[in-house]
Amino acid sequence: SPGAEAMGSREVLGQAARLASSGLLLQVLFRVITFVLNAFVLRFLSKEIVGIVNVRLTLLYSTTIFLAREAFRRACLSGGPQR
């Protein structure tokens, strides 16, 4: 019946609105937590330590991305003409 369809679509819309609002709330909460952690780190650590950690994390990130891409590239090339 048409009434049941309208009721079902309302429930779906209500659930979607609740999910969207909770997702937005979580995003704001995580940004606040990140801001507080960054402020804490910058207040209690010296610039030299933050710089060294930043360089090492950048190197780790670059190495990880390179290894993942290289493995994927080799896997794609090893298939031969049948793939």
Side-chain angles (χ1 to χ4, degrees):
S1 69
E5 277 187 29
M7 188 75 144
S9 64
R10 281 190 193 142
E11 288 176 8
V12 169
L13 284 176
Q15 187 177 10
R18 281 192 302 275
L19 284 173
S21 63
S22 63
L24 186 65
L25 183 67
L26 272 175
Q27 187 175 8
V28 169
L29 180 68
F30 282 133
R31 289 191 183 213
V32 168
I33 290 171
T34 303
F35 177 79
V36 169
L37 286 174
N38 282 337
F40 177 78
V41 165
L42 291 176
R43 181 176 179 103
F44 293 108
L45 293 179
S46 68
K47 291 179 184 177
E48 292 79 15
I49 293 176
V50 172
I52 290 170
V53 169
N54 191 16
V55 168
R56 288 185 180 178
L57 285 176
T58 303
L59 182 61
L60 176 67
Y61 172 78
S62 299
T63 304
T64 306
I65 292 297
F66 170 76
L67 291 175
R69 284 183 182 164
E70 186 65 18
F72 186 74
R73 186 185 69 81
R74 282 186 166 263
C76 288
L77 290 177
S78 69
Q82 73 269 17
R83 289 190 185 174

